[in-house]
Amino acid sequence: MPTRFRYASKPMAALIAAPLALALSACGGEEADVTTDASGPIDPIAAPEGTSWTDTVTVSEEGGYVLGNPDAPLKLVEYASHTCGACAAFAMQGKPELKQEYISTGTVSIEQREVFLNTFDVVLAAMIQCGPPERVHALSDEVWGNLGQVMNGVQQNGEAIQAAGNLPMEQRFVRMAELAGFIDFFAARGLSADEARTCLSDAAAIEDMVKGADALAQEDEVTATPTFFINGSRVDGPQWSSVEPALQNAGARPAE
C-alpha cells in the first residue's frame, strides 16, 4: 500500500541526513478537492508548423517544467518525487496516454514540480535539470522507469553515501552520485559525467532549487506525492484513473 508523508520544509543538512530507507518509499496522493466543471469540450490547438506539443518543454514562472502547449487552457501540475514508487507508476502507466491523447492536442499541458523527500531526490533533480529544459521530462521518465536500478547503488553503498554527507557542499552531491551509480546512469542517457559533476558541485544553485520547490509545495499544501492540480484545483486522487476523468470533466477530449 502507498504511504503518506507529512511534508515540511527541510534544510539542506536535514536532507543529507535523511534515512536511506526513504529512498525506496512509495508515497500516495491524498484525495481532496475536485476540478472545476467545464462549459464544454475544448477544441484542439495546432502546434507551430514543424513542431509537436509532446516535444515542447518550457519553464514556468514558478520554475516548473511544462510539457506541451505553454498556453494550454488546461494546465495540469504534478508535484512528484523521483524516489516515489507511486510517481513512477503514474509515469509508466498514465503519462504515455496523457501525452498521446491529450498533450498532443494542445489543450492540456503538464508541469512537473519537485518534492524532496530525501537527499537522493535532490541529487537526481539536480542532474535532471542539468542542461536544456527539453531533457527534463525524458530524464525524469527514465529514472521512474528504472527506479529499482537507479536506487540499487544506494542500497549497496549506504554507509559510504552517508559518510559523503560530511563533505563540503561543493563535493558532497558529486560524491553521492558517484557512489550511487547515478553518474553512469545519466551518462548512458545523454548527460555527460562532466556536465553532471559541474551541476552537482554548484551548491548555491542546488540550495536555491530546494528552497524554491519547498515554498511552492507548502503554498499549495502538498502533503503527498504525486499530487495533481488542474488550473489550480486539486485532483481527487493520485492515479491516472483519477486524473483522466478530471481532465475530461474540465473539457479535455482524446485526440481523434
Side-chain angles (χ1 to χ4, degrees):
M1 291 290 291
T3 59
R4 293 180 178 178
F5 69 93
R6 189 171 298 278
Y7 187 81
S9 178
K10 307 174 187 67
M12 298 296 285
L15 285 168
I16 290 299
L20 294 178
L22 283 177
L24 292 178
S25 63
C27 305
E30 291 184 335
E31 296 184 356
D33 304 332
V34 297
T35 53
T36 304
D37 289 337
S39 57
I42 301 173
D43 293 332
I45 302 168
E49 186 175 356
T51 68
S52 168
W53 290 132
T54 57
D55 294 326
T56 302
V57 181
T58 54
V59 181
S60 71
E61 293 181 0
E62 292 78 14
Y65 289 83
V66 179
L67 175 63
N69 179 3
D71 298 316
L74 298 178
K75 294 176 170 57
L76 176 66
V77 171
E78 177 188 13
Y79 282 93
S81 152
H82 283 97
T83 59
C84 165
C87 301
F90 177 83
M92 296 300 101
Q93 299 167 12
K95 198 170 181 181
E97 186 174 352
L98 172 65
K99 291 171 63 177
Q100 180 178 341
E101 298 293 342
Y102 297 97
I103 291 176
S104 66
T105 69
T107 62
V108 176
S109 64
I110 181 170
E111 178 179 345
Q112 182 175 303
R113 296 183 183 177
E114 302 289 342
V115 174
F116 298 116
L117 307 184
N118 52 68
T119 310
F120 309 111
D121 279 330
V122 176
V123 177
L124 290 168
M127 299 179 77
I128 286 166
Q129 295 181 24
C130 183
E134 290 78 15
R135 293 197 297 202
V136 168
H137 279 266
L139 286 176
S140 291
D141 292 344
E142 283 288 328
V143 170
W144 281 317
N146 298 278
L147 190 56
Q149 175 189 346
V150 169
M151 302 312 299
N152 184 53
V154 173
Q155 300 303 310
Q156 293 183 346
N157 298 290
E159 291 186 7
I161 291 172
Q162 290 283 22
N166 296 319
L167 294 172
M169 290 281 285
E170 292 75 15
Q171 303 173 31
R172 185 177 306 173
F173 301 115
V174 174
R175 185 57 179 154
M176 293 175 77
E178 291 172 342
L179 290 166
F182 296 169
I183 298 289
D184 292 340
F185 179 87
F186 281 90
R189 289 158 176 83
L191 178 68
S192 73
D194 287 343
E195 284 181 293
R197 289 187 174 94
T198 296
C199 290
L200 290 169
S201 64
D202 191 342
I206 291 175
E207 189 163 10
D208 286 344
M209 177 185 69
V210 172
K211 288 180 178 178
D214 282 351
L216 285 172
Q218 290 185 67
E219 180 179 345
D220 282 342
E221 299 181 350
V222 174
T223 58
T225 57
T227 293
F228 296 94
F229 294 83
I230 298 175
N231 290 356
S233 295
R234 193 182 299 256
V235 175
D236 190 15
Q239 299 91 3
W240 175 237
S241 59
S242 301
V243 173
E244 183 177 28
L247 286 171
Q248 293 184 350
N249 187 54
R253 294 295 180 268
E256 296 182 355

